[in-house]
Amino acid sequence: VRILVVGATGTIGRAVVEALQPRHAVIAVSLQQAAEQVDIGDPGSIRALYQRIGQLDAVVSTAGRAVFKPLSELSDSDFQLSLSNKLMGQVNLVRYGITNVRDGGSFTLTSGILARLPTPGGAAMSLANAGLEGFTRAAALELPRGLRINVVSPGWVAETLQAMGRDPAAGVAAVAVARAYVAALEGKSTGQVIEVLPP
Amino acid sequence: VRILVVGATGTIGRAVVEALQPRHAVIAVSLQQAAEQVDIGDPGSIRALYQRIGQLDAVVSTAGRAVFKPLSELSDSDFQLSLSNKLMGQVNLVRYGITNVRDGGSFTLTSGILARLPTPGGAAMSLANAGLEGFTRAAALELPRGLRINVVSPGWVAETLQAMGRDPAAGVAAVAVARAYVAALEGKSTGQVIEVLPP
């Protein structure tokens, strides 16, 4: 099974690659550090990636930038970046990738718990994450040839909290988040928001 | 109480204006047909509206275009229109309007039930509606001076169904939808998604 992992060098992406590699052929993609590169904020870059890569069985995205900043400081361009990158970047990975994914294959995207449980500073991220979840529920009804789509919505990741000097016990380990992607990819569900919260 | 109603000439907007007019000073705004005009897809048009209008007690939006079309036919520009108009148009009505709304005032926006209950053809609308609901939940945590924000999520409107030659009994009457805006505006809730579904 040939799987594209976009965002493969991030905290969650690395854990997803490690979880998938024993059983699948993983093509790791990232903005700069992986062998294959893509800027999901640029539609042309996504189309070029799919042209280079050819047929796949699944696409996993753990990529996408959105701006965390107080509402009063969020600028037009902060919203624009969050919309074009985390939201439409991942939507376009699906739209442009449909013809590359074989019958019965899947897309697994990444939102975040701010979609449902907001926090001050998270207005643009809540918007992008919730929008992506709305798209996922709807697109699942129309994907052709048995293709499936799901979105993993993780809480704060322990490793990220630790890197920020905060208590990692308040987060969920990247290895636990990765299991949600594997379950989405190897299971039969579609149109689902899979939340992964701290224990 | 001075209330701006954006989208005042639409099916829901007219019912909202009728419901509010007996008790409030309503300023009706629409793209073309009302005395005051705004194109919410154009940030400059929104800023100019607020400069003309001055201080308000509440802003209601029943405006916003999003594209209903099969996923395989939705183009980049269909998504762009849905994002810039129904989603960011309403988000910007809030962001740019905060300084115009007096202490304790409110914003009441419009999403739609496709945010939660998708249907084929609704991928861009589900995305825009869900994104707007995510923004609403988050922005409620940060609005200053006791300002509130809520979003009404109506199902199909009976009058719209009738105009399409479909059975209006499958929808909810515009007058019933309008009551949700009045409740949001005159009540104390904030950050809420107020669904109005057929009986």
Side-chain angles (χ1 to χ4, degrees), chain B residues 102-182:
Chain B
R102 297 189 187 100
D103 297 6
S106 70
F107 296 92
T108 308
L109 311 178
T110 302
S111 61
I113 197 61
L114 295 184
R116 184 172 66 84
L117 299 173
T119 193
M125 298 187 77
S126 289
L127 182 162
N129 292 343
L132 193 62
E133 295 178 3
F135 172 80
T136 298
R137 283 188 290 269
L141 307 182
E142 297 188 66
L143 288 179
R145 300 178 285 104
L147 300 188
R148 297 178 301 107
I149 178 172
N150 296 286
V151 58
V152 175
S153 179
W156 282 98
V157 176
E159 287 85 344
T160 305
L161 290 174
Q162 191 148 41
M164 296 164 66
R166 291 168 56 187
D167 180 11
V172 54
V175 65
V177 178
R179 283 195 286 270
Y181 294 85
V182 176

Side-chain angles (χ1 to χ4, degrees), chain B residues 54-97:
Chain B
Q55 290 299 106
L56 298 161
D57 296 287
V59 175
V60 173
S61 166
T62 59
R65 294 168 62 203
V67 180
F68 189 86
K69 196 183 275 186
L71 178 61
S72 60
E73 296 174 19
L74 280 168
S75 66
D76 290 351
S77 61
D78 289 331
F79 276 97
Q80 187 51 44
L81 172 68
S82 309
L83 287 170
S84 65
N85 204 293
K86 179 144 195 185
L87 177 52
M88 285 308 297
Q90 295 193 87
V91 167
N92 289 338
L93 277 172
V94 177
R95 294 174 58 225
Y96 304 160

Side-chain angles (χ1 to χ4, degrees), chain A residues 43 47 69-72 74-77 79-80 83 87-88 91-92 94-96 98 114-124 126-128 130-135 137-143, chain B residues 43 47 69-72 74-77 79-80 83 87-88 91-92 94-96 98 114-124 126-128 130-135 137-143:
Chain A
R47 291 191 188 278
K69 196 185 274 187
L71 178 61
S72 59
L74 279 168
S75 66
D76 290 350
S77 61
F79 276 97
Q80 187 51 45
L83 287 170
L87 177 51
M88 286 308 297
V91 166
N92 290 339
V94 176
R95 294 174 58 227
Y96 304 160
I98 288 171
L114 295 184
R116 185 172 66 84
L117 299 173
T119 193
S126 289
L127 183 161
L132 192 63
E133 295 178 2
F135 172 80
R137 283 188 290 270
L141 307 182
E142 297 189 66
L143 289 180
Chain B
R47 291 191 188 278
K69 196 183 275 186
L71 178 61
S72 60
L74 280 168
S75 66
D76 290 351
S77 61
F79 276 97
Q80 187 51 44
L83 287 170
L87 177 52
M88 285 308 297
V91 167
N92 289 338
V94 177
R95 294 174 58 225
Y96 304 160
I98 289 172
L114 295 184
R116 184 172 66 84
L117 299 173
T119 193
S126 289
L127 182 162
L132 193 62
E133 295 178 3
F135 172 80
R137 283 188 290 269
L141 307 182
E142 297 188 66
L143 288 179

Side-chain angles (χ1 to χ4, degrees), chain A residues 9-95:
Chain A
T9 58
T11 304
I12 294 175
R14 283 195 308 270
V16 170
V17 169
E18 273 182 40
L20 293 174
Q21 245 164 1
R23 292 191 299 285
H24 303 290
V26 173
I27 304 168
V29 185
S30 76
L31 182 60
Q32 292 184 313
Q33 294 173 39
E36 284 290 343
Q37 301 185 355
V38 70
D39 175 1
I40 66 167
D42 173 3
S45 176
I46 297 175
R47 291 191 188 278
L49 172 72
Y50 280 124
Q51 283 194 334
R52 290 199 304 277
I53 297 297
Q55 290 299 106
L56 297 160
D57 296 286
V59 175
V60 173
S61 166
T62 59
R65 293 168 61 202
V67 180
F68 190 87
K69 196 185 274 187
L71 178 61
S72 59
E73 296 174 19
L74 279 168
S75 66
D76 290 350
S77 61
D78 289 331
F79 276 97
Q80 187 51 45
L81 172 69
S82 308
L83 287 170
S84 64
N85 204 293
K86 179 143 194 185
L87 177 51
M88 286 308 297
Q90 294 193 87
V91 166
N92 290 339
L93 276 171
V94 176
R95 294 174 58 227

